[in-house]
């Protein structure tokens, strides 16, 4: 009787241990699956944003070394996706997006609408933040990151000014000089407000001012009453 009870206790304990082991395995697998799903979701978002940003930077004529650095980051993301989900639909979609990004060429005419400019600004701002994150992760020096961020900031400013200047040229061709003048003044204001060195801004400002003057010549108010009085005075003094 005692032996039967002991056997029953051992059996129950064994069943309990087995149940715990099975529960641990199931829970661990669920946690791993969830962690993998969350990681893939993060990788997808980061890869898509980075590849879109790369396309924008290429089209806007960004410095090649900045593009190369961000491309290295994109490749690292894609490589991790290929390890976690090699034959997935996600991998296929990211590969197509990478091919599209790789085919992008300099083409500033793509940023001639408000919507296109705003979209470009979103991804240039994303690239600025990504550069900072890469520096924090030790993938580049802080000094290099600041240089890249300055370049991206100026690219952002130039993109807006270029868009206004392009719209102005289109409006001049159509005969709407008043609207064209408004766009040129907006472009000038964007550059004036930009926190960039004056030597960097001045050539663009001079170019815009020349265009403004062609549409709206500076008014000649004449010498004025004071000058006329002075001329009269000097004439009286002559022998």
């Amino acid at each position: 009787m005692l032996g039967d009870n002991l056997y029953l206790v051992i059996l129950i304990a064994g069943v309990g241990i087995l149940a715990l082991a099975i529960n641990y395995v199931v829970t661990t697998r669920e946690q791993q699956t969830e962690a993998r799903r969350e990681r893939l979701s993060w990788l997808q978002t980061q890869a898509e944003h980075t590849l879109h940003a790369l396309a924008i930077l290429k089209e806007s004529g960004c410095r090649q070394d900045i593009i190369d650095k961000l491309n290295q980051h994109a490749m690292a993301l894609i490589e991790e996706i290929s390890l976690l989900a090699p034959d997935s639909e996600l991998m296929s979609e990211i590969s197509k997006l990478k091919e599209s990004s790789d085919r992008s060429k300099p083409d500033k005419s793509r940023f001639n609408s408000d919507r296109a400019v705003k979209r470009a600004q979103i991804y240039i701002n994303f690239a600025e933040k990504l550069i900072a994150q890469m520096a924090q992760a030790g993938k580049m020096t802080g000094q290099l990151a600041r240089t890249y961020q300055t370049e991206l900031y100026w690219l952002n400013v130039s993109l807006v000014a270029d868009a206004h200047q392009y719209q102005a040229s289109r409006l001049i061709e159509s005969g709407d000089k008043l609207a064209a003048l408004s766009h040129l003044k907006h472009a000038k204001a964007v550059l004036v407000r930009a926190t960039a060195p004056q030597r960097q801004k001045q050539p663009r400002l001079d170019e815009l001012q020349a265009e403004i003057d062609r549409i709206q010549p500076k008014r000649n108010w004449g010498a004025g009453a004071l000058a006329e009085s002075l001329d009269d005075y000097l004439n009286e003094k002559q022998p």
Side-chain angles (χ1 to χ4, degrees):
M1 188 69 179
L2 182 60
D4 292 341
N5 291 338
L6 181 60
Y7 173 76
L8 184 59
V9 169
I10 293 173
L11 181 61
I12 293 173
V15 171
I17 292 171
L18 180 61
L20 289 172
I22 292 173
N23 182 68
Y24 173 78
V25 170
V26 171
T27 301
T28 301
R29 286 182 179 177
E30 288 177 349
Q31 290 174 344
Q32 290 175 343
T33 300
E34 180 63 19
R36 176 178 173 278
R37 186 192 64 78
E38 290 179 357
R39 181 64 178 173
L40 281 172
S41 177
W42 182 86
L43 288 169
Q44 177 182 7
T45 301
Q46 290 297 306
E48 288 176 348
H49 288 348
T50 303
L51 292 171
H52 284 308
L54 277 168
I56 293 294
L57 295 179
K58 290 176 183 178
E59 290 167 355
S60 60
C62 182
R63 276 174 47 170
Q64 188 60 45
D65 52 340
I66 298 177
I67 291 173
D68 290 343
K69 184 65 71 173
L70 294 179
N71 191 58
Q72 291 173 9
H73 178 71
M75 289 301 297
L77 296 171
I78 294 171
E79 183 178 355
E80 188 174 351
I81 292 174
S82 70
L83 292 173
L84 294 174
D87 301 320
S88 65
E89 184 178 349
L90 170 59
M91 186 63 204
S92 177
E93 291 174 356
I94 293 298
S95 296
K96 290 178 182 178
L97 188 57
K98 178 68 167 64
E99 292 173 3
S100 176
S101 177
D102 289 343
R103 289 194 300 267
S104 299
K105 303 293 182 183
D107 183 8
K108 291 188 177 182
S109 65
R110 295 177 64 87
F111 310 114
N112 296 326
S113 67
D114 289 343
R115 183 176 181 181
V117 169
K118 288 177 181 178
R119 181 175 182 273
Q121 287 183 299
I122 289 171
Y123 284 112
I124 292 174
N125 289 336
F126 170 82
E128 279 193 63
K129 294 176 182 177
L130 180 56
I131 290 293
Q133 293 170 2
M134 292 172 70
Q136 292 174 356
K139 296 181 179 179
M140 70 177 74
T141 65
Q143 182 177 357
L144 182 60
R146 287 189 291 274
T147 299
Y148 284 173
Q149 286 177 307
T150 300
E151 288 288 334
L152 290 172
Y153 170 77
W154 178 246
L155 180 66
N156 203 336
V157 170
S158 299
L159 205 65
V160 177
D162 287 344
H164 279 297
Q165 199 168 4
Y166 176 81
Q167 290 292 340
S169 65
R170 293 285 300 274
L171 289 165
I172 290 173
E173 291 175 0
S174 66
D176 193 347
K177 292 186 177 182
L178 187 61
L181 185 63
S182 176
H183 276 287
L184 290 173
K185 289 183 176 180
H186 272 95
K188 183 178 178 181
V190 167
L191 293 170
V192 168
R193 291 195 300 265
T195 55
Q198 191 63 30
R199 58 182 173 76
Q200 188 175 29
K201 298 191 291 185
Q202 198 59 51
R204 290 295 308 275
L205 288 171
D206 292 342
E207 178 186 346
L208 286 167
Q209 189 59 54
E211 292 189 35
I212 291 171
D213 291 341
R214 278 196 293 270
I215 299 176
Q216 178 182 278
K218 293 180 179 179
R219 294 181 180 179
N220 184 3
W221 296 99
L226 179 61
E228 291 174 0
S229 299
L230 182 59
D231 287 341
D232 293 340
Y233 175 77
L234 291 174
N235 290 332
E236 289 176 0
K237 289 293 182 180
Q238 289 180 356

